[in-house]
Amino acid sequence: EDQVTQSPEALRLQEGESSSLNCSYTVSGLRGLFWYRQDPGKGPEFLFTLYSAGEEKEKERLKATLTKKESFLHITAPKPEDSATYLCAVQARRNFNKFYFGSGTKLNVKP
Amino acid sequence: EAGVTQFPSHSVIEKGQTVTLRCDPISGHDNLYWYRRVMGKEIKFLLHFVKESKQDESGMPNNRFLAERTGGTYSTLKVQPAELEDSGVYFCASSQDQGGPQHFGDGTRLSIL
């Protein structure tokens, strides 16, 4: 069965303290992996798509990487405005319109 | 560009009543999706439309849920009759291309009393 596991569930960082979030997946034939940011009371906001192992994408302080088993979202020198829940979703080749989401990592960056 | 719009943002109804949720996708997006998150769980797929046609409704929990997309524009999701376990946040998303990034609305928080 297709499954996505995110860790840690919650992460507290001081402003400027870099760290990484993990998304491990089990899917039969990965087509793509998506990272989203979700603020309280809002819907998921699209950040990145990764399609193949070794691929990297960057946006401001965020960098996403992909291997055959997992993806990392690296946050460099975070600011309080980076505080949010970060969600990972995967799509399988056999049905690429159906996204499987992880439970998310709630990030809190203290000033 | 206007994003995905969902209405209402909150709905509180009693068990056995009927509720209809509405979603307006991003203009020009043929693909429309419904997802939901129940308490403490991850976001789960319900169904996918391409224009007015249902492509995949494998995630619909039972026949109390009915989704429509009249004319291939906005979509509605009706729950009739509502049960306690239907409480949660219902998200709508749209995409320009099949398999492309899905863009989400802010959801409808549904509470069944």
Side-chain angles (χ1 to χ4, degrees), chain A residues 31 34 36 38 41-44 46 49 51 87 91 95-103, chain B residues 31 33 35 37 41-43 45 48 56 58 91 97-106:
Chain A
R31 182 181 186 272
F34 298 79
Y36 286 85
Q38 186 174 22
K42 299 291 187 181
F46 170 69
T49 310
Y51 289 110
L87 298 167
Q91 63 178 173
N95 184 353
F96 49 77
N97 288 297
K98 185 174 182 177
F99 282 14
Y100 297 88
F101 279 86
S103 297
Chain B
N31 297 278
Y33 314 82
Y35 289 82
R37 179 170 56 210
K41 300 283 190 180
E42 65 276 12
I43 296 172
F45 172 88
H48 167 222
D56 180 357
S58 61
F91 291 104
D97 303 314
Q98 289 200 46
Q102 297 177 13
H103 301 277
F104 285 75
D106 288 339

Side-chain angles (χ1 to χ4, degrees), chain A residues 4-97:
Chain A
V4 180
T5 303
Q6 291 189 245
S7 62
E9 287 186 16
L11 181 63
R12 281 182 76 172
L13 299 174
Q14 285 297 127
E15 184 172 2
E17 180 187 0
S18 302
S19 189
S20 295
L21 314 182
N22 177 265
C23 170
S24 299
Y25 59 89
T26 305
V27 63
S28 179
L30 178 76
R31 182 181 186 272
L33 185 143
F34 298 79
W35 281 99
Y36 286 85
R37 169 191 171 127
Q38 186 174 22
D39 293 300
K42 299 291 187 181
E45 176 189 348
F46 170 69
L47 292 173
F48 304 110
T49 310
L50 301 164
Y51 289 110
S52 55
E55 190 176 0
E56 297 183 353
K57 292 275 180 71
E58 280 189 71
K59 180 179 180 180
E60 295 180 357
R61 295 175 291 282
L62 301 177
K63 183 168 83 172
T65 61
L66 181 65
T67 72
K68 288 185 179 179
K69 298 280 187 183
E70 58 193 346
S71 176
F72 292 94
L73 185 65
H74 306 278
I75 304 176
T76 302
K79 298 182 177 181
E81 53 262 42
D82 294 322
S83 297
T85 295
Y86 290 86
L87 298 167
C88 167
V90 300
Q91 63 178 173
R93 274 192 228 107
R94 70 183 183 283
N95 184 353
F96 49 77
N97 288 297

Side-chain angles (χ1 to χ4, degrees), chain B residues 16 21 32-33 40 42 45 52 58 66 70 74 84 93 101 111-112:
Chain B
L21 314 181
L32 186 148
Y33 314 82
E42 65 276 12
F45 172 88
E52 68 277 6
S58 61
L66 175 64
T70 308
Y74 70 91
L84 298 177
S111 298
I112 314 298

Side-chain angles (χ1 to χ4, degrees), chain B:
Chain B
E1 177 184 78
V4 176
T5 306
Q6 292 188 245
F7 182 83
S9 56
H10 292 86
S11 182
V12 181
I13 62 170
E14 292 189 351
K15 176 183 170 181
Q17 289 186 321
T18 297
V19 63
T20 301
L21 314 181
R22 172 170 169 145
C23 169
D24 287 78
I26 293 171
S27 179
H29 283 194
D30 288 338
N31 297 278
L32 186 148
Y33 314 82
W34 284 98
Y35 289 82
R36 76 172 178 178
R37 179 170 56 210
V38 297
M39 181 73 78
K41 300 283 190 180
E42 65 276 12
I43 296 172
K44 285 198 171 177
F45 172 88
L46 295 178
L47 87 160
H48 167 222
F49 283 99
V50 177
K51 296 185 181 178
E52 68 277 6
S53 300
K54 291 176 190 173
Q55 286 290 106
D56 180 357
E57 48 185 333
S58 61
M60 295 287 263
N62 52 60
N63 59 11
R64 294 186 294 103
F65 288 76
L66 175 64
E68 294 180 320
R69 191 179 183 193
T70 308
T73 54
Y74 70 91
S75 175
T76 58
L77 180 64
K78 181 192 288 188
V79 185
Q80 180 183 31
E83 298 289 343
L84 298 177
E85 64 264 26
D86 301 333
S87 294
V89 182
Y90 289 76
F91 291 104
C92 175
S94 71
S95 70
Q96 190 163 34
D97 303 314
Q98 289 200 46
Q102 297 177 13
H103 301 277
F104 285 75
D106 288 339
T108 293
R109 183 173 297 276
L110 179 61
S111 298
I112 314 298
L113 304 179

